[in-house]
């Protein structure tokens, strides 16, 4: 099964999980780049507002051909209880090309459920599996077990 992990990460937490999933799945990986500057405290507030109001953003074109993958695993940080605008834009742009999907997210404390629900609605199909982790779990490298279980569940589908 040909797999691709796509993710957006502002500060590296979601990236760490994305890399571990791709390594364990033995598939490809692609980072989604938001062209809008998200650094600094003012941009943090704007980022939260953009996410909460479901705004799209400008992202770089993906290098990989999304339609050539049997499964695309999509990862986002939780922003204002939903997905980051870069992932909203990616899904909006590519949803017709997505065959099977799985989701993962990282969060400070809360919002993964609503985030996955919003992603499912936007994709127009159910994810075969989901995985959520807190920023703390990722920082302390306490996510390996979750990844193995996620991969095992994915492989059994
Ligand atoms: C604009 C913004 C909004 C956020 N909103 C939430 C939230 O609603 N719930 C939550 O648990 N964490 C929230 N966070 C924290 C991030 O989800 C968390 O730190 C995540 O692991 C960051 O991932 P990254 O390092 O890949 O960017 C928010 C962070 C940002 C920048």
């Amino acid at each position: 099964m040909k797999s691709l992990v796509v993710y957006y990460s502002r500060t590296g937490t979601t990236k760490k999980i994305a890399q571990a999933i791709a390594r364990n799945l033995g598939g490809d990986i692609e980072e989604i780049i938001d062209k809008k500057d998200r650094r600094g405290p003012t941009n943090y507030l704007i980022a939260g507002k953009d996410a909460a109001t479901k705004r799209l953003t400008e992202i770089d074109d993906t290098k990989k051909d999304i339609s050539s993958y049997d499964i695309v695993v999509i990862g986002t940080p939780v922003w204002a209880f939903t997905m980051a605008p870069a992932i909203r834009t990616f899904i909006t742009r590519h949803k017709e090309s997505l065959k099977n999907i799985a989701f993962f997210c990282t969060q400070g404390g809360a919002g993964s459920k609503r985030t996955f629900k919003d992603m499912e609605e936007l994709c127009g199909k159910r994810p075969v599996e989901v995985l959520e982790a807190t920023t703390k779990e990722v920082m302390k490298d306490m996510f390996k077990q979750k990844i193995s279980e996620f991969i095992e569940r994915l492989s059994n589908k």
Side-chain angles (χ1 to χ4, degrees), residues 8-15 44 47-48 77-81 106-111 135:
Y8 168 75
S9 184
R10 177 177 164 267
T11 47
T13 317
T14 314
K15 181 177 193 155
Y44 178 98
V78 173
W79 281 10
F81 294 88
T106 69
Q107 58 179 357
T135 319

Side-chain angles (χ1 to χ4, degrees), residues 5-119:
V5 174
V6 288
Y7 70 97
Y8 168 75
S9 184
R10 177 177 164 267
T11 47
T13 317
T14 314
K15 181 177 193 155
K16 213 166 156 185
I17 295 260
Q19 288 172 332
I21 293 174
R23 208 169 34 243
N24 280 275
L25 270 177
D28 293 335
I29 186 163
E30 173 135 11
E31 181 172 9
I32 305 298
I33 307 293
D34 190 339
K35 290 188 180 176
K36 197 162 174 179
D37 188 0
R38 302 291 187 185
R39 293 166 299 176
T42 310
N43 289 334
Y44 178 98
L45 293 176
I46 295 168
K49 191 162 170 254
D50 284 353
T53 55
K54 302 184 166 42
R55 281 188 72 157
L56 298 179
T57 186
E58 278 198 50
I59 57 171
D60 282 348
D61 286 336
T62 48
K63 293 173 206 86
K64 306 274 193 298
D65 173 11
I66 306 301
S67 64
S68 72
Y69 290 90
D70 301 309
I71 183 158
V72 179
V73 186
I74 307 171
T76 182
V78 173
W79 281 10
F81 294 88
T82 190
M83 73 200 89
I87 290 301
R88 186 175 293 282
T89 307
F90 170 82
I91 295 175
T92 303
R93 195 176 284 179
H94 293 286
K95 61 179 157 194
E96 308 302 335
S97 308
L98 299 169
K99 293 173 193 143
N100 297 296
I101 45 172
F103 301 149
F104 64 100
C105 73
T106 69
Q107 58 179 357
S112 60
K113 259 201 175 139
R114 218 194 93 186
T115 301
F116 290 148
K117 186 172 164 278
D118 288 352
M119 290 168 78

